[in-house]
Amino acid sequence: MKVLKFGGTSVGSVASIEAVLTIVKQAYIAGEKPLVVLSAMSGVTNLLTKMAENAAERIPFEDDLKFLEAKHFDVVKKLIAVKFQNPVFTKLKLMLNDLEEILQGVSALKELSLQSKDLIVSFGERLSNYMVAKIIEQEIPETEFIDASHYIKTNSNFGHAQVNEELTHQLIQSLGFTHAEKLMFVTGFIGSNDKGRVTTLGRGGSDYTAAIFGAVLQASAIEIWTDVNGMLTADPRIVKKAFSQPILSYTEAMELSYFGAKVIYPPTMIPAFLKKIPIVIRNTFEPDFPGTTIQYESGKSAFPIKGISSISDIAVINLSGSGMIGKSGFSGRLFTLLAREQINVVLITQSSSEHSITFAVNPDDASKAVKLIEAEFELELEANKLQAPVVEDNLSVLAIVGENMKRTPGMSGRLFYALGRNGINVRAIAQGSSELNISVIIGKENLAKALNAVHDAFFAQLKKTLHVFNVGTGNIGSTLFRQIHEQHNFLVENNDIEINVVGVSNSRKMLFNSDGIDLTHWADALEEKGEVSDLASFIDRMRAMNLPNCVFIDNTASKLPSTYYEEIFKANISIVTCNKIANSGEYAYYQKLHETARKHGVDFFYETNVGAGLPIVRVLKDLMLSGDRIVKIEAILSGTISYIFNNFIGDSSFYETVKQAQELGYTEPDPRDDLGGVDFMRKMLILARDAGYALESTDVDLGAILPQACLDAASVDDFYAELLKADQYFNALKEKASREHKVIRYIGKLEDGKVSIALEMVDENHPFYALSGSDNIISFTTERYKERPLVVKGPGAGAEVTAAGVFADLVNVGA
Ligand SMILES: NC(=O)c1ccc[n+]([C@@H]2O[C@H](COP(=O)([O-])OP(=O)(O)OC[C@H]3O[C@@H](n4cnc5c(N)ncnc54)[C@H](O)[C@@H]3O)[C@@H](O)[C@H]2O)c1
Ligand SMILES: N[C@@H](CCO)C(=O)O
Ligand code: NA
């Protein structure tokens, strides 16, 4: 036989009761001999408690009584055929009349005893079980309503009575004999004392009833039907990726419930544990989902832990002083004291020097605990052997739980790496000696972020989510969004990476959505729902959202974002940027940024600063990391200028060729940056710095391409006007090159710590002769690549290749 227990939400409405009926009937037809335990209809226990308290105050309860009647009658009207309704109404009415009499008695006496309260509350289970039994009886005549108060015998501790196991066992066993062929509906939560007075079993009482009946009748399983899919890997309100664990051991379930997973209340399950009866948590509203089986063995699992539990509010009390050293009785006295006063100690850590003890309690208990300690250790405090206890609140506990942890090294490493990388400070740590649980205390403001980061770290086979905050939605930004959108499913399925763009800004508007902005309609959403943008508040919001695995992407050409990079790193947020301004500004700032990122364990990726998506920054970094030394760099790193000199041939005009480069998306937003050489200068400077040279932009010897008048133009339009006038000048250059069978190249060099960029004419023997489109080329001569340099060549500008480079940097964050 099987016990099926349904909680209040499962008997909340006509629809949910219908779902219960289907589940019970299926089990019955399958020959599982179900015994059903129902809670009161949802909200009824609270209502009855309120009515009882009101009665004692002579506050009218008649309306509530009518409401209660209607709530049950309504179900009867809908689920029982008219011809069978009357006797059911009559019986329910009789029960409600009894209830009314009792309430009147309370009202007359103006006194509510715990005994009366238990009796009043017990009506909830009696009404629901009787009613649902009658509904199902229409199809299964063997159905019988059982008032469990006749079978579960308890002491007289009203409110949370203790069960007399022996007597209860006998009574239920004989019920089992006489009712072997029946479909029983048993009231949860209630029992009675030796005088037959109704008692209640306290928190989780209906689960307890199910466990008691299941244990005595040797059920093959006890199914707890509720409104969630089992015990989840973390609190689903905080961790969206939490999923239901198929199998947990009893101890794992205890640990997970202890810290928050409120699906079951473990003490009630003890009768089942002792008999090794599996408990299965299932969802009434998703009956096909297998749920969570809680059993004796932990079972095999793909993951090293089973779940992460948490308590959001905790206070920590710290006791320190020389008086503790070597005093073996000290902690004994302390914790006996707290236990005696019923202060639940959630977690304890002691430093190995024995100089201090830290323990966590419910914040409501903190000041009481301090008073108790001050009284108990008065002498030690006076003698300064103990410092006054210090309380800290606004803290949370996070615990990773799983029996397999003890066989897997590196678990705490993984935990602390995930926390550290996200800038979450750990205040105290405790590992149960069973190695079943590692708990950390952290600031409450970081709990959500920590839970998500740790969930990703341990269930990473599932997915890593990067939370992206992107500024700049122009040429590169919008192309990046399209690429991310197109790749989304592939990344999730093949690389277990999910990219959620949660913040977007351009120079006019900004938009946030912690669930991820829809990348098919981001432009409309930004326009319609966006707020007026302001970079400072964008950064503040980014920090305040406090999401794990955050990446800030700078796709602007503006200096402003770069002024926030340091702050962003300090908030443990990685940066990916195609904007060259930060790395090519003052050397001290470049250095500071790199140092800050390193110190905070976050990434600073800027591959597209040089040669767009071509692997150049990465190659140089690897050369340096592996101990090579740069002897010389020669390069063409302006895609725009490369394009211009590759296409400024035959009859084409210089002016038109520049326009084309801009239309093709090769130029900077302001093309003067390309033609004036500034963009190229920035790239050379970044490479030189990455190669270990502390250079400033003024150290670069920058040869001009343009006549001075073009450089002096006040606006982009003026610049183009000047450029038109300069056609003569460029035609002369072109003709000279052609006469000498040469091509024009704008070449950068780094040699002996000096950077220069100059216009040159090269013949076909020069390695930079053959280029096309927006090609960049770079040749690294190093100590190891001495005879033949390492060369990277390919398209070095354009939205597609640049966005792809930003994208690649992004997916490598935290890798
Ligand atoms: N085009 C290329 O081939 C290429 C290659 C490598 C790197 N890059 C770099 O890409 C960056 C972007 O270039 P683009 O062509 O996409 O520019 P763009 O002008 O098309 O777009 C710039 C975006 O930045 C936004 N912006 C500017 N200031 C801002 C601020 N203070 N706050 C928020 N948003 C702001 C603008 O509103 C716009 O959405 C530049 O830094 C450029 O150097 C471009
Ligand atoms: N405007 C730049 C884009 C690549 O950084 C170029 O032309 O090279
Ligand atoms: Na690059």
Side-chain angles (χ1 to χ4, degrees):
M1 61 90 60
K2 239 185 202 179
V3 175
L4 311 182
K5 180 260 164 178
F6 294 88
T9 50
S10 301
V11 274
S13 64
V14 171
S16 65
I17 291 174
E18 284 180 310
V20 170
L21 298 173
T22 310
I23 293 163
V24 173
K25 277 186 273 183
Q26 267 172 6
Y28 186 80
I29 292 162
E32 286 169 348
K33 300 226 166 196
L35 177 146
V36 185
V37 177
L38 298 184
S39 297
M41 285 184 80
S42 71
V44 167
T45 305
N46 284 345
L47 179 64
L48 287 165
T49 309
K50 188 188 105 188
M51 288 161 75
E53 283 159 3
N54 283 350
E57 302 285 328
R58 300 232 170 121
I59 299 170
F61 52 78
E62 285 72 16
D63 285 349
D64 289 332
L65 206 57
K66 281 201 194 97
F67 172 82
L68 208 56
E69 179 178 302
K71 191 173 171 88
H72 290 83
F73 276 27
D74 192 42
V75 176
V76 174
K77 281 180 203 148
K78 296 214 170 86
L79 297 180
I80 295 188
V82 177
K83 59 180 172 183
F84 299 126
Q85 282 177 4
N86 269 339
V88 181
F89 285 144
T90 308
K91 172 76 181 176
L92 290 174
K93 193 74 199 160
L94 281 174
M95 288 195 211
L96 290 163
N97 288 345
D98 281 353
L99 173 63
E100 186 173 8
E101 259 175 48
I102 298 160
L103 288 165
Q104 277 162 354
V106 170
S107 184
L109 290 172
K110 278 179 128 184
E111 189 202 296
L112 177 64
S113 66
L114 288 175
Q115 177 176 331
S116 313
K117 197 169 172 179
D118 273 5
L119 180 58
I120 291 168
V121 165
S122 76
F123 279 87
E125 271 69 17
R126 291 195 276 162
L127 289 164
S128 69
N129 277 275
Y130 169 75
M131 177 181 75
V132 179
K134 283 293 163 190
I135 297 169
I136 212 160
E137 199 187 85
Q138 298 171 97
E139 287 175 66
I140 303 174
E142 293 76 26
T143 307
E144 196 159 323
F145 162 66
I146 305 286
D147 182 339
S149 65
H150 303 313
Y151 301 92
I152 294 185
K153 300 306 285 184
T154 71
N155 67 7
S156 299
N157 200 351
F158 294 98
H160 37 88
Q162 271 84 52
V163 173
N164 175 335
E165 287 175 25
E166 221 178 281
L167 192 52
T168 300
H169 191 105
Q170 284 168 17
L171 290 167
I172 293 178
Q173 207 157 42
S174 59
L175 175 74
F177 279 127
T178 55
H179 285 61
E181 299 307 319
K182 298 280 189 188
L183 169 59
M184 289 186 271
F185 271 75
V186 179
T187 55
F189 187 51
I190 62 175
S192 66
N193 69 4
D194 53 353
K195 296 195 186 69
R197 301 276 186 238
V198 171
T199 55
T200 60
L201 305 179
R203 187 175 159 198
S206 291
D207 290 351
Y208 194 22
T209 306
I212 293 169
F213 275 83
V216 176
L217 300 176
Q218 308 205 339
S220 60
I222 297 168
E223 294 183 351
I224 306 288
W225 290 83
T226 171
D227 58 353
V228 292
N229 272 342
M231 287 187 72
L232 305 186
T233 48
D235 184 340
R237 289 165 306 178
I238 305 177
V239 181
K240 297 243 161 55
K241 278 180 276 174
F243 59 91
S244 168
Q245 270 295 0
I247 293 175
L248 294 174
S249 72
Y250 292 136
T251 28
E252 286 168 341
M254 295 256 211
E255 292 277 343
L256 285 172
S257 323
Y258 183 57
F259 282 134
K262 294 283 183 295
V263 184
I264 55 163
Y265 181 53
T268 61
M269 293 288 121
I270 288 170
F273 293 178
L274 294 176
K275 291 272 175 71
K276 298 192 182 176
I277 300 170
I279 295 157
V280 191
I281 314 289
R282 303 195 58 179
N283 189 348
T284 303
F285 308 98
E286 230 178 282
D288 294 330
F289 191 82
T292 298
T293 299
I294 303 169
Q295 59 180 35
Y296 187 72
E297 298 282 348
S298 164
K300 283 212 168 60
S301 165
F303 306 105
I305 65 167
K306 287 293 185 70
I308 306 158
S309 60
S310 53
I311 305 177
S312 62
D313 282 292
I314 211 83
V316 160
I317 300 179
N318 190 44
L319 271 179
S320 62
S322 61
M324 268 186 257
I325 300 174
K327 290 270 187 323
S328 55
F330 182 85
S331 49
R333 259 169 81 198
L334 172 65
F335 294 114
T336 311
L337 168 74
L338 297 171
R340 192 178 67 221
E341 300 294 329
Q342 307 216 330
I343 291 179
N344 185 26
V345 177
V346 176
L347 174 155
I348 306 169
T349 67
Q350 178 165 27
S351 69
S352 57
S353 69
E354 297 181 57
H355 195 69
S356 73
I357 292 186
T358 299
F359 61 94
V361 296
N362 184 320
D364 296 339
D365 290 339
S367 56
K368 182 176 169 195
V370 167
K371 285 205 188 81
L372 289 167
I373 291 165
E374 282 168 351
E376 172 78 25
F377 296 100
E378 199 183 346
L379 293 178
E380 287 86 346
L381 285 162
E382 267 172 17
N384 261 333
K385 287 185 172 169
L386 195 64
Q387 311 301 314
V390 178
V391 182
E392 262 186 279
D393 48 16
N394 275 324
L395 297 170
S396 300
V397 184
L398 174 155
I400 55 172
V401 171
E403 295 204 22
N404 287 337
M405 275 203 287
K406 44 183 153 205
R407 292 179 285 276
T408 322
M411 290 299 98
S412 47
R414 209 192 285 198
L415 171 66
F416 295 116
Y417 180 73
L419 295 171
R421 204 182 148 81
N422 283 288
I424 297 158
N425 190 26
V426 174
R427 313 299 305 276
I429 305 165
Q431 174 166 17
S433 53
S434 61
E435 289 188 60
L436 186 69
N437 164 329
I438 302 175
S439 306
V440 293
I441 294 180
I442 57 176
K444 183 178 155 91
E445 73 284 2
N446 279 324
L447 180 62
K449 179 174 172 178
L451 278 169
N452 280 289
V454 172
H455 198 274
D456 268 354
F458 283 95
F459 300 105
Q461 285 96 321
L462 191 71
K463 251 197 265 172
K464 159 172 100 177
T465 298
L466 294 172
H467 293 103
V468 171
F469 291 85
N470 179 94
V471 295
T473 62
N475 200 10
I476 308 301
S478 61
T479 307
L480 175 67
F481 286 173
R482 201 200 67 237
Q483 291 181 355
I484 293 177
H485 176 66
E486 285 168 0
Q487 276 311 97
H488 182 269
N489 291 348
F490 176 84
L491 281 175
V492 169
E493 279 156 29
N494 298 287
N495 298 72
D496 299 310
I497 295 178
E498 179 162 45
I499 296 177
N500 254 352
V501 178
V502 288
V504 173
S505 174
N506 57 27
S507 44
R508 291 177 302 106
K509 296 247 172 140
M510 61 183 188
L511 181 71
F512 302 90
N513 181 348
S514 56
D515 292 332
I517 291 165
D518 175 1
L519 291 185
T520 45
H521 298 108
W522 66 268
D524 293 340
L526 183 62
E527 204 51 47
E528 286 155 23
K529 295 188 213 132
E531 310 159 32
V532 172
S533 75
D534 167 49
L535 200 53
S537 61
F538 185 86
I539 310 277
D540 283 345
R541 290 278 283 279
M542 169 170 81
R543 258 193 306 240
M545 280 164 83
N546 210 8
L547 296 165
N549 304 322
C550 270
V551 187
F552 177 83
I553 303 185
D554 178 1
N555 278 327
T556 74
S558 151
K559 180 174 166 83
L560 194 60
S562 70
T563 60
Y564 291 95
Y565 286 7
E566 194 186 346
E567 253 183 73
I568 294 172
F569 290 139
K570 284 184 177 162
N572 287 81
I573 295 171
S574 295
I575 295 179
V576 169
T577 180
C578 63
N579 184 345
K580 298 143 201 146
I581 291 179
N583 278 322
S584 59
E586 279 178 20
Y587 180 75
Y589 192 55
Y590 162 92
Q591 209 180 19
K592 181 108 177 223
L593 289 179
H594 284 252
E595 198 184 285
T596 312
R598 206 167 40 241
K599 203 162 121 195
H600 288 264
V602 290
D603 293 316
F604 181 24
F605 290 155
Y606 48 89
E607 178 57 72
T608 50
N609 275 192
V610 185
L614 295 177
I616 295 175
V617 174
R618 200 165 306 158
V619 167
L620 176 57
K621 186 175 175 194
D622 287 346
L623 290 173
M624 300 299 292
L625 283 176
S626 62
D628 205 347
R629 206 186 63 80
I630 301 297
V631 175
K632 185 165 75 173
I633 288 177
E634 281 175 296
I636 288 179
L637 293 175
S638 171
T640 300
I641 296 171
S642 187
Y643 175 84
I644 291 169
F645 289 127
N646 290 331
N647 290 277
F648 176 49
I649 40 177
D651 293 338
S652 59
S653 87
F654 192 80
Y655 173 88
E656 283 305 329
T657 320
V658 174
K659 281 262 168 185
Q660 281 164 17
Q662 180 160 28
E663 271 153 33
L664 288 165
Y666 299 152
T667 68
E668 291 305 292
D670 182 343
R672 287 174 297 176
D673 284 348
D674 296 295
L675 287 137
V678 172
D679 180 73
F680 198 165
M681 180 277 291
R682 288 177 174 150
K683 291 166 180 165
M684 288 304 293
L685 192 58
I686 294 167
L687 288 177
R689 288 173 173 181
D690 282 1
Y693 296 105
L695 298 184
E696 297 292 351
S697 59
T698 45
D699 297 329
V700 177
D701 176 8
L702 183 61
I705 307 177
L706 297 174
Q708 194 59 37
C710 292
L711 292 175
D712 293 342
S715 67
V716 176
D717 287 342
D718 289 352
F719 160 76
Y720 273 113
E722 283 300 327
L723 204 56
L724 206 49
K725 293 186 212 156
D727 257 6
Q728 251 344 83
Y729 168 81
F730 287 108
N731 281 335
L733 263 184
K734 177 164 70 174
E735 277 152 27
K736 178 169 191 277
S738 149
R739 263 197 320 273
E740 295 174 12
H741 303 288
K742 287 181 176 170
V743 290
I744 309 167
R745 297 288 179 252
Y746 197 39
I747 300 175
K749 281 198 187 93
L750 165 68
E751 203 168 6
D752 301 327
K754 297 225 157 37
V755 178
S756 60
I757 302 171
L759 204 61
E760 294 181 28
M761 293 203 186
V762 303
D763 65 22
E764 61 187 346
N765 296 319
H766 194 281
F768 292 177
Y769 181 84
L771 291 180
S772 59
S774 70
D775 274 2
N776 279 194
I777 186 163
I778 182 163
S779 116
F780 294 99
T781 306
T782 73
E783 275 174 1
R784 290 183 191 143
Y785 289 92
K786 203 159 202 160
E787 304 308 318
R788 291 192 305 124
L790 189 163
V791 176
V792 180
K793 175 180 159 183
E800 285 299 327
V801 292
T802 306
V806 173
F807 197 174
D809 275 352
L810 175 61
V811 295
N812 278 307
V813 166

